[in-house]
Amino acid sequence: MLFVIFKIDVPKWYPEFVTARSRSVSASFAGKISDDLMQEHSSESTNERMNLVDHYLAMLLIVFLEAGLIQALVELLSNNDKQMVTTATILIGEIMEMCNRLLPKSHSTNIQSLPTLFKIASDFEDESKRHTATLAFSCIDNLQKTKERLFPHAIDEQFNRKWVARTIGSAIEAQRANSVRIGRQQTQVRSRSASTGAVDDANLRSLASDTQIMSGKEYMLWNWDATLDLVKSLNSNSRRFEENSKLIRRLLSFYKPENHLFSDLKKTKSSATKFVRVGCEIMRSLVSIPEGIRFLNENKWIEQIAESLSQLNPMSTASIQGDPIFSKERMEKTLTADYFTMLGILSQSDEGLKLLEKFKIFDLFYHLTELRSRDDLVKAIISNLDYNIDGHSRVILSKVLTSGFKQIRIFATKLMRKLLRNKTNEFHFWAVPLLVTQLYDPVIEVCQHAVSILEESCSDERNLDAIVRLRPIMDHLGEYGNPLMLRFLSTPIGFQLLKEISYIGKEMGKWFEKGSELYVTKLELSLSEALSDGPKKSDKTDKLEKSDNDDD
């Protein structure tokens, strides 16, 4: 009932978690939680404004907290029913996160200390209760640490609502050491050290040996967890790269398109996580040091990708023998599509951009975005490029936004919301003008997405100022353009612009006549749907939430 009252979604992994906790906790289940969270995180909004539902929940929180809710939940932790203990633990964590997000510090500070739970955790007379309380405390205490480990760049409040799963996953991973062999434990210790950058040279050599890469070319026998941590330890360290250059050369040969190893692997959840993460980390580490850049120049990995892409270049005169590496079928069924993910990592740095320019990757992208029958390639290109640095990436995106293909324009326009929420550099300078151009698209769906994204962007004054200075004309959008135009009223320049086009007088007349009544009716219906326990009437995102699930 409390989950319903506070609008807390029961995690989809909850039933399995209860079962796992009642027995022995497995590493595979801990990994499942992390994988599920990765998917949930990728589809969530970063809207930072509180809405009316948030204010309603804040009021409920104050009432329940003053009635002793936290103390009552802490008492449940001493219950013999493990399912009830698990539910109480999750609920305590969720409520504390809500307090931190919704309540002023004057109300939330005392709650965060959890004095009752701390008293139980420090009571050595009852070992069972102390253990349960300590585990619950661990889940709560590791919030920030775990969030930074899984998503260092995570900033959205919706994502923070899922922190309990991550912290519980951390506790599970800590317990699994009891069921793992001693040799494997040592490897994990070295791996954790590598991931934090604290690995010393002796452990680095052991970690290199643990990868099994130099023991044979059969990649299925390689230890990919150790490989990932080894590659991370090479970041910005030229000496370590030189010591492991042979290993890196053999590892990168696995990713060469012409070797048909990585490129022929079937696309599965486990392979996408394991092999792609290592590939991306290799690119990130190599471009961080001069030796790595020289290595990429000489290795032919980028060159082979360029040659494979040129097979699809409509301007190319080269003959195609066999099935192209980047054929539509291979893009759908194999890990070939993730070459764009790795190229995207290179586009995040100046040195990586120079490599892409040298091997004419951007030239190929310009031509490939014109292919009528390969929207999968266009989506892969613009979805994976990084737009924080001014250059070819932004030009390619602007080209796709004005593509002659409707679905591509819609996809590219919706992508702009992700860039906004990811706080892409200079969004007001280069992205806002592109979105304003989309307001004049002949397809109304493109215009609607552009208006919605621009309205959301107005939370940043720089974006709002940039929009107003462009003086967009939205008469052709009718009611769709009203939310954005109303935002203009918050700035002197915007107010003057609306006054010049006689918008304010007309809008005031509408509101006096029927606009106010319609607004209240819509607001009541929206609140009723948002606070309803039943299914939503529509799959569209509620205006109160200000997010667009179609983006994800």
Side-chain angles (χ1 to χ4, degrees):
M1 182 179 70
L2 290 173
F3 279 91
V4 175
I5 291 175
F6 290 110
K7 313 300 294 180
I8 299 172
D9 294 330
V10 178
K12 62 183 179 181
W13 44 261
Y14 171 73
E16 294 180 57
F17 172 67
V18 173
T19 303
R21 190 174 183 185
S22 64
R23 302 172 190 167
S24 59
V25 183
S26 67
S28 61
F29 181 71
K32 183 181 185 303
I33 292 179
S34 296
D35 290 340
D36 289 344
L37 281 163
M38 291 287 288
Q39 293 178 348
E40 291 173 9
H41 171 61
S42 66
S43 63
E44 291 174 343
S45 165
T46 60
N47 184 27
E48 298 175 357
R49 291 161 42 195
M50 286 183 62
N51 53 52
L52 289 177
V53 175
D54 288 331
H55 289 291
Y56 166 77
L57 292 175
M59 179 186 69
L60 278 182
L61 275 173
I62 293 175
V63 172
F64 274 84
L65 291 174
E66 290 183 354
L69 174 62
I70 294 294
Q71 290 81 356
L73 290 174
V74 170
E75 288 295 325
L76 288 178
L77 296 179
S78 60
N79 196 289
N80 293 327
D81 187 338
K82 289 186 177 181
Q83 181 171 347
M84 183 177 293
V85 171
T86 301
T87 305
T89 301
I90 295 175
L91 190 54
I92 289 174
E94 289 283 0
I95 288 176
M96 287 189 65
E97 187 279 326
M98 290 178 65
C99 291
N100 187 54
R101 182 171 58 89
L102 301 176
L103 299 183
K105 292 182 179 179
S106 57
H107 285 77
S108 62
T109 304
N110 285 338
I111 300 165
Q112 301 299 327
S113 61
L114 288 175
T116 307
L117 184 60
F118 183 81
K119 183 178 179 180
I120 297 175
S122 59
D123 183 6
F124 288 86
E125 293 183 2
D126 192 328
E127 190 65 25
S128 177
K129 290 183 179 180
R130 187 180 74 83
H131 174 74
T132 303
T134 301
L135 180 59
F137 238 134
S138 175
C139 294
I140 297 167
D141 186 55
N142 287 330
L143 164 61
Q144 191 63 33
K145 184 190 305 182
T146 311
K147 183 172 71 173
E148 291 176 356
R149 177 172 63 84
L150 288 180
F151 301 103
H153 58 284
I155 55 175
D156 57 286
E157 63 181 33
Q158 295 285 339
F159 170 63
N160 288 341
R161 295 179 184 177
K162 312 300 179 183
W163 66 269
V164 175
R166 295 198 297 277
T167 51
I168 290 176
S170 298
I172 294 173
E173 290 177 352
Q175 293 179 18
R176 70 178 179 178
N178 294 327
S179 61
V180 183
R181 293 182 294 110
I182 297 299
R184 185 61 176 166
Q185 287 177 335
Q186 293 172 344
T187 301
Q188 289 174 336
V189 169
R190 290 191 291 269
S191 297
R192 284 193 294 269
S193 299
S195 63
T196 60
V199 63
D200 56 26
D201 291 341
N203 278 332
L204 182 66
R205 285 190 290 272
S206 298
L207 193 60
S209 176
D210 290 337
T211 65
Q212 300 296 313
I213 292 176
M214 299 307 295
S215 300
K217 295 183 179 181
E218 180 50 60
Y219 68 90
M220 293 303 295
L221 299 179
W222 296 351
N223 183 335
W224 287 92
D225 290 332
T227 301
L228 176 63
D229 292 315
L230 174 71
V231 173
K232 286 182 178 180
S233 71
L234 304 180
N235 199 309
S236 302
N237 194 315
S238 298
R239 179 179 59 81
R240 288 184 172 181
F241 170 77
E242 292 290 352
E243 293 174 353
N244 294 276
S245 59
K246 290 184 178 180
L247 184 149
I248 296 299
R249 184 172 288 104
R250 175 170 291 186
L251 176 60
L252 202 57
S253 68
F254 165 75
Y255 290 94
K256 287 183 177 178
E258 292 183 3
N259 289 342
H260 289 279
L261 296 174
F262 174 81
S263 59
D264 283 7
L265 285 173
K266 298 298 182 183
K267 184 181 293 185
T268 63
K269 193 172 183 179
S270 60
S271 64
T273 300
K274 179 168 56 177
F275 301 121
V276 177
R277 282 188 68 191
V278 172
C280 290
E281 204 59 47
I282 292 174
M283 297 302 112
R284 190 174 286 112
S285 294
L286 290 178
V287 296
S288 68
I289 51 177
E291 292 80 5
I293 296 168
R294 186 163 57 249
F295 180 85
L296 283 173
N297 270 303
E298 300 170 354
N299 184 262
K300 294 188 177 182
W301 178 77
I302 304 179
E303 182 180 338
Q304 288 188 15
I305 291 181
E307 291 172 355
S308 299
L309 288 173
S310 66
Q311 294 176 336
L312 306 175
N313 182 7
M315 306 298 293
S316 175
T317 58
S319 60
I320 302 176
Q321 297 180 352
D323 189 25
I325 291 292
F326 290 96
S327 68
K328 194 161 190 173
E329 182 179 4
R330 291 175 63 87
M331 287 282 288
E332 291 176 356
K333 297 181 179 180
T334 70
L335 295 183
T336 297
D338 286 295
Y339 280 123
F340 292 101
T341 308
M342 292 180 234
L343 293 175
I345 297 295
L346 294 179
S347 71
Q348 294 175 2
S349 66
D350 291 324
E351 296 300 332
L353 288 171
K354 291 177 183 177
L355 287 169
L356 295 178
E357 290 179 8
K358 175 182 177 181
F359 290 97
K360 302 187 182 303
I361 296 295
F362 285 121
D363 291 345
L364 289 164
F365 283 176
Y366 282 118
H367 293 303
L368 293 177
T369 53
E370 298 175 355
L371 292 177
R372 179 179 294 273
S373 60
R374 293 304 306 272
D375 58 334
D376 58 323
L377 282 177
V378 180
K379 292 178 180 180
I381 290 170
I382 64 174
S383 296
N384 288 288
L385 284 175
D386 185 83
Y387 300 95
N388 283 297
I389 301 176
D390 190 17
H392 288 288
S393 298
R394 294 180 183 178
V395 177
I396 289 173
L397 179 57
S398 66
K399 181 175 183 288
V400 174
L401 282 167
T402 56
S403 166
F405 313 122
K406 168 186 169 182
Q407 293 304 321
I408 290 299
R409 295 202 307 278
I410 293 174
F411 180 87
T413 304
K414 291 164 68 175
L415 177 66
M416 299 294 281
R417 190 188 300 275
K418 292 183 182 294
L419 302 183
L420 169 66
R421 292 174 175 174
N422 289 338
K423 300 191 182 301
T424 304
N425 289 344
E426 301 175 323
F427 190 88
H428 66 285
F429 174 73
W430 69 274
V432 166
L434 294 179
L435 284 169
V436 169
T437 301
Q438 297 305 92
L439 295 176
Y440 310 113
D441 193 279
V443 177
I444 191 62
E445 187 176 352
V446 174
C447 300
Q448 291 174 355
H449 284 299
V451 168
S452 175
I453 298 166
L454 285 170
E455 183 194 356
E456 183 177 332
S457 75
C458 288
S459 298
D460 187 325
E461 291 185 7
R462 295 174 300 174
N463 296 331
L464 176 56
D465 185 63
I467 298 170
V468 172
R469 292 184 185 281
L470 290 170
R471 301 174 69 89
I473 299 173
M474 291 179 279
D475 293 344
H476 62 293
L477 297 179
E479 292 296 322
Y480 292 123
N482 276 345
L484 179 58
M485 297 183 76
L486 289 174
R487 285 290 197 130
F488 290 2
L489 294 173
S490 61
T491 67
I493 300 177
F495 182 87
Q496 186 62 35
L497 171 62
L498 296 181
K499 188 176 180 181
E500 290 175 6
I501 62 177
S502 303
Y503 175 83
I504 296 176
K506 294 178 183 178
E507 197 65 18
M508 288 289 289
K510 290 180 181 179
W511 277 79
F512 279 124
E513 183 179 347
K514 60 179 181 179
S516 300
E517 184 178 349
L518 288 174
Y519 174 77
V520 172
T521 301
K522 289 180 180 179
L523 184 61
E524 289 180 345
L525 290 173
S526 297
L527 283 172
S528 176
E529 183 177 355
L531 300 175
S532 172
D533 298 337
K536 304 298 181 186
K537 295 180 181 179
S538 173
D539 290 331
K540 294 182 180 179
T541 304
D542 196 293
K543 284 287 184 181
L544 293 168
E545 297 295 337
K546 296 291 184 185
S547 64
D548 185 357
N549 287 337
D550 289 339
D551 281 359
D552 305 313

